[in-house]
Amino acid sequence: MTWSSVLGALLLICMGAAGAVWQAERYYRPLLDGTNGQLTSCNAARGNLEELTNEQGLKLGELVQAGQRRQDQAEQALKQAAILAKDEFAAANRLQRELTGGNECAAATEVIDQELGL
C-alpha cells in the first residue's frame, strides 16, 4: 500500500464526512431556526405574564388594604353609634318599664305584640 492510496482514502473519508455535515446542516438548520423563533416568542410571553402577575399582585394587595381600612372604619362607626345610642336605649327601656309597671317580661311581650300587629 502506497502513501498515495492512503492519502486518497483519507481524502475520500474527509470528503464523505464534510458531505454528511453539509447534509445534516441543511436538514437541521430550518428546524433549529423555527425552534429558536418559538423560544423567543415563549420568553417574551413569559416576561409579559410575569409583569401582569406582579401588577395583579400589587393591585390585589391594594384592594386588601382598602378593604381592611373600610372594615376598621365600619367597626369604629359601630362603636360610636353604640356609644351614642346607649342613652337612647336606656331611656326607651325606662319608658317601656314605666308603661308596663316595671315588668320586663310584659314590656318584651308588648313590644313583640306591637311588631306583630296584634
Side-chain angles (χ1 to χ4, degrees):
M1 206 170 185
T2 64
W3 281 104
S4 63
S5 61
V6 171
L7 192 57
L10 283 175
L11 183 61
L12 285 175
I13 291 173
C14 288
M15 285 177 56
V21 167
W22 180 73
Q23 286 291 341
E25 195 270 336
R26 265 186 56 200
Y27 177 76
Y28 287 111
R29 179 55 49 198
L31 296 175
L32 289 172
D33 290 342
T35 304
N36 283 335
Q38 290 174 348
L39 177 64
T40 302
S41 296
C42 287
N43 285 337
R46 189 185 90 211
N48 288 339
L49 289 174
E50 285 176 354
E51 239 179 86
L52 291 172
T53 303
N54 290 337
E55 189 175 320
Q56 187 179 28
L58 292 174
K59 294 295 181 184
L60 184 60
E62 290 173 6
L63 287 173
V64 168
Q65 289 176 350
Q68 187 62 45
R69 282 193 301 270
R70 283 193 301 273
Q71 183 177 354
D72 292 344
Q73 291 170 351
E75 288 173 0
Q76 186 63 30
L78 283 174
K79 288 177 185 176
Q80 289 176 348
I83 291 169
L84 293 174
K86 185 178 179 183
D87 293 335
E88 282 78 13
F89 278 123
N93 286 331
R94 189 176 57 251
L95 284 173
Q96 192 69 34
R97 271 183 271 154
E98 289 172 3
L99 292 174
T100 59
N103 186 351
E104 292 180 9
C105 289
T109 302
E110 186 175 327
V111 169
I112 292 170
D113 288 344
Q114 285 177 356
E115 287 293 321
L116 293 175
L118 300 175

